[in-house]
Amino acid sequence: MKRLRVDHHTICAEVSSTLSFIRDQLTEEEPQDLYLLTSDTPDGKKIGNILKLYFQAFFRQVHVFSIENLNGEKPELFKNEGLRNLVKTIVQIVRVTSNRGDRCVINATGGYKAQISFAGLIGQVLKIPVYYQFEGFPSVVQLPEMPISFDYKIWLRHFRLFWDLYRLGVVSIKLLPKHVDLSPLNGLIEYQSKEQIRLSSVGWLMHEVLWNQFKEHGRLYLPPVAEDEGQEGDCEWGNDLPLHLQTMLQTIQRLPFVTSVQIVGTKDQISGPMTFTGQGDSGVIRGSYSHEQKTWLFDIQTTAVDEMQVNAAIVELYQRFEPLVQTPSEKSVEFILVRHGQHVGEKEERIEGWADFELTDVGHKQAQLVAQYLKQNYPGIDALYTSSLMRARQTAEHIGRELGIQPLVLDDLRAMNYGKPSGLTKKEAEILYPVPPKQVIFNRAYDGESELEFHRRVVELFYELAHRHQGKTVCIVTHGRAINAILKEVMNLPLSHDFRVDSADTSIHHFVMRQNQTLLRRVNHTDHLVALQMDTAK
């Protein structure tokens, strides 16, 4: 390849088109990075590395990314996953380069023909040029702009669904409100299974683009200006509010489409990240804000007259207070997860769930030993949280006394709710409430919660604690299945993956979470129990 002239047209399309672009479109002083996106095949990866070596002489830096499941030999994965991953990767590259202030273009020449249309669509909606070298042409040409745009009205009418699918990946259709009509979203959402939906490649791109363009275009859909714009109302929210919440409510009160803001209730637990939810056709938006172990609920009365205006107002609120929803900090958070000690129900072989068992004498000894071990080996623990179930609270109380920290009790750290079988012996439950033949993650059984609901509440709280304790060390006393859910999340495993971690009584699970890395240090660590186990054996 290096022996051939730069303008030699017998070089492969990827090379000749890129060299043509360098020759005709770039100035010598313009720094360039080249991103090569390859198919998920041995040949694709090999060619990507060869092209990287070849292009290093022409570019400041060359990056090669193999797009997972972009493999023409696996049509279903190609369609359902490969093209979707291609869209995500291109959007991320555009975002990164734009944040650096660099000009970004797409060369769609070569590779699978199906990706050309996606490249054109991405370039159009992200407002970046797309180039292509047609067969027989001496150089690349810029593809003409097409009258393509995403419909803000469709996105806003279904914003909550887009928001959940974008953040969570998949949503069970059983958890959707009964009135939701999915037919207008054909092509934007797709079924991952018979009972689960997710955003399609185009739907994912639509949400990404419209969310980022909202400040420029979306505000045309906001509710009308209130007649008393600029007035702050009575603003009597009480003196017990955190200063940050007071400031936030005052900011909301001053928004032109807001007529009033009222605190409507509190909960003595963290309910996850800050949220905004429409309350029917009344123009009211229900907000929640968590601080330490308390959550405040407040109603925002707006001038909105329909669901689309309410949702536009919700987007505006999320974007104004986005730092409270997402964690931008790059500091690490160190987590120490501790399972509770032995409890009465465990000894009697009973179904646990939300049945509230106390620790046995052995359980108290285990809790004391783990508390002493944590004091000796983890002296820098900054915060201590516990499930509200008795077996976890009693374990946390031992730890808190040793560390000199008051445990904060959170309901969302509870074990999975098994419903009616909870508290029964396993033999009783086997007769009265047999395990359903088909266990899927979104199914509930016997008034309990589904695996999806359980995972969501535990993981959302976990991220909330990570957000609150950047640069700190956090100890969480909870249950085996909750520990499993957290570890599955930090290891980036899908919810459907059958991943299990043994968690002995008062076992320690220790990891450090950074923005782009998770360092797993200990799993099911029980060295502190060795002496007790030896005494019990005697």
Side-chain angles (χ1 to χ4, degrees):
M1 287 174 62
K2 289 186 176 181
R3 293 195 188 103
L4 296 173
R5 288 166 39 204
V6 168
D7 61 349
H8 201 291
H9 303 317
T10 59
I11 305 177
C12 66
E14 293 85 351
V15 175
S16 59
S17 61
T18 304
L19 293 177
S20 168
F21 185 85
I22 296 171
R23 183 187 65 233
D24 300 335
Q25 304 294 333
L26 295 183
T27 60
E28 291 183 3
E29 66 274 7
E30 186 174 14
Q32 308 103 24
D33 279 35
L34 177 64
Y35 295 86
L36 297 170
L37 308 183
T38 76
S39 60
D40 188 11
T41 63
D43 285 346
K45 296 172 184 177
K46 184 186 297 183
I47 292 171
N49 289 324
I50 293 172
L51 293 178
K52 177 178 180 179
L53 293 173
Y54 178 78
F55 280 124
Q56 282 175 343
F58 301 94
F59 289 89
R60 175 180 61 187
Q61 196 167 3
V62 180
H63 315 267
V64 180
F65 297 109
S66 175
I67 306 302
E68 187 176 3
N69 291 319
L70 193 68
N71 186 336
E73 296 177 359
K74 301 175 181 178
E76 284 301 311
L77 281 175
F78 181 93
K79 181 184 71 172
N80 297 329
E81 303 293 339
L83 290 175
R84 178 187 180 88
N85 292 333
L86 177 66
V87 171
K88 287 186 175 182
T89 305
I90 294 176
V91 170
Q92 181 64 11
I93 291 171
V94 172
R95 181 190 293 134
V96 169
T97 55
S98 299
N99 289 342
R100 290 202 305 251
D102 292 343
R103 183 167 73 104
C104 184
V105 301
I106 296 175
N107 179 9
T109 311
Y112 298 106
K113 300 301 181 185
Q115 68 194 31
I116 299 173
S117 60
F118 276 96
L121 175 63
I122 294 168
Q124 183 73 27
V125 298
L126 295 181
K127 302 186 184 305
I128 60 175
V130 179
Y131 290 83
Y132 185 80
Q133 184 168 358
F134 293 91
E135 187 174 351
F137 279 36
S139 61
V140 293
V141 296
Q142 183 176 348
L143 297 180
E145 292 188 6
M146 297 174 287
I148 297 174
S149 62
F150 286 130
D151 191 335
Y152 263 105
K153 293 181 180 180
I154 289 179
W155 181 66
L156 287 173
R157 285 197 182 99
H158 301 89
F159 171 74
R160 186 71 204 186
L161 181 57
F162 274 96
W163 177 253
D164 286 342
L165 289 171
Y166 186 81
R167 291 183 307 123
L168 300 175
V170 295
V171 169
S172 168
I173 58 175
K174 293 185 176 182
L175 300 180
L176 297 178
K178 293 182 179 179
H179 70 279
V180 171
D181 179 14
L182 299 180
S183 59
L185 302 179
N186 288 338
L188 299 174
I189 63 172
E190 59 190 19
Y191 282 84
Q192 180 163 299
S193 66
K194 291 182 179 180
E195 302 292 342
Q196 288 182 305
I197 58 173
R198 67 176 186 176
L199 292 176
S200 68
S201 302
V202 176
W204 189 92
L205 180 62
M206 179 178 184
H207 179 81
E208 175 80 18
V209 170
L210 296 187
W211 171 265
N212 287 298
Q213 291 182 356
F214 184 82
K215 292 179 181 178
E216 183 179 353
H217 303 294
R219 292 181 178 178
L220 296 172
Y221 301 98
L222 285 172
V225 175
E227 294 180 0
D228 56 351
E229 180 195 2
Q231 299 182 19
E232 295 193 16
D234 55 27
C235 297
E236 294 180 1
W237 296 308
N239 298 322
D240 64 334
L241 298 188
L243 179 60
H244 196 283
L245 176 56
Q246 293 185 42
T247 303
M248 187 181 78
L249 295 180
Q250 289 170 358
T251 301
I252 294 173
Q253 180 76 65
R254 296 190 188 100
L255 293 176
F257 54 81
V258 172
T259 60
S260 66
V261 181
Q262 294 182 333
I263 297 289
V264 295
T266 60
K267 296 189 294 183
D268 290 329
Q269 64 184 78
I270 291 179
S271 62
M274 183 187 63
T275 62
F276 297 103
T277 308
Q279 302 293 295
D281 299 327
S282 61
V284 174
I285 298 172
R286 170 67 53 84
S288 70
Y289 175 90
S290 297
H291 178 70
E292 293 182 351
Q293 71 267 41
K294 193 171 185 179
T295 294
W296 286 263
L297 304 177
F298 52 93
D299 279 351
I300 306 166
Q301 181 65 59
T302 73
T303 57
V305 296
D306 57 34
E307 185 180 19
M308 188 170 67
Q309 289 186 354
V310 168
N311 285 344
I314 289 174
V315 176
E316 173 78 1
L317 291 166
Y318 271 126
Q319 293 202 343
R320 281 180 176 269
F321 304 105
E322 190 174 6
L324 297 180
V325 183
Q326 298 177 353
T327 305
S329 174
E330 296 186 7
K331 292 181 179 178
S332 64
V333 187
E334 195 160 358
F335 281 98
I336 299 162
L337 311 181
V338 179
R339 186 178 183 252
H340 56 75
Q342 184 193 76
H343 57 80
V344 174
E346 184 179 353
K347 195 172 181 180
E348 297 175 356
E349 295 189 346
R350 294 184 178 273
I351 302 292
E352 298 175 338
W354 284 6
D356 211 5
F357 300 113
E358 294 188 347
L359 293 181
T360 63
D361 290 341
V362 171
H364 280 287
K365 292 177 182 178
Q366 292 171 334
Q368 184 60 39
L369 288 170
V370 75
Q372 293 169 355
Y373 185 87
L374 291 175
K375 182 179 180 180
Q376 294 169 5
N377 294 276
Y378 299 93
I381 292 176
D382 301 288
L384 175 61
Y385 293 91
T386 179
S387 155
S388 57
L389 294 174
M390 186 68 70
R391 52 192 182 273
R393 286 172 54 191
Q394 290 179 336
T395 303
E397 287 166 1
H398 284 283
I399 296 172
R401 280 194 293 269
E402 286 290 336
L403 301 180
I405 302 175
Q406 180 65 36
L408 298 177
V409 180
L410 301 176
D411 282 343
D412 283 344
L413 288 175
R414 284 180 293 182
M416 183 171 177
N417 180 13
Y418 296 130
K420 293 178 180 177
S422 298
L424 299 178
T425 66
K426 293 179 180 179
K427 291 182 179 180
E428 291 170 342
E430 188 177 8
I431 296 172
L432 297 176
Y433 304 106
V435 177
K438 281 191 175 182
Q439 285 287 79
V440 289
I441 60 174
F442 43 80
N443 278 358
R444 299 172 180 171
Y446 307 122
D447 297 334
E449 63 183 335
S450 69
E451 181 76 25
L452 182 64
E453 291 169 322
F454 167 70
H455 185 86
R456 181 183 294 176
R457 71 166 164 87
V458 172
V459 168
E460 285 187 356
L461 177 59
F462 166 71
Y463 280 123
E464 173 69 13
L465 297 180
H467 171 80
R468 292 176 180 278
H469 296 287
Q470 291 293 309
K472 303 293 185 181
T473 300
V474 180
C475 180
I476 298 175
V477 182
T478 183
H479 309 266
R481 201 151 183 174
I483 290 171
N484 201 76
I486 292 171
L487 291 178
K488 180 184 285 189
E489 178 68 17
V490 300
M491 293 175 69
N492 203 26
L493 295 173
L495 182 55
S496 57
H497 185 76
D498 188 12
F499 170 79
R500 305 183 190 189
V501 173
D502 285 335
S503 292
D505 294 332
T506 67
S507 57
I508 296 171
H509 307 259
H510 177 204
F511 62 91
V512 180
M513 192 171 74
R514 304 187 177 101
Q515 187 171 19
N516 297 310
Q517 181 189 62
T518 299
L519 178 60
L520 194 60
R521 289 185 167 161
R522 281 178 171 169
V523 174
N524 198 27
H525 184 76
T526 56
D527 283 3
H528 53 281
L529 297 180
V530 172
L532 180 61
Q533 290 167 347
M534 292 176 64
D535 289 343
T536 304
K538 293 177 182 178

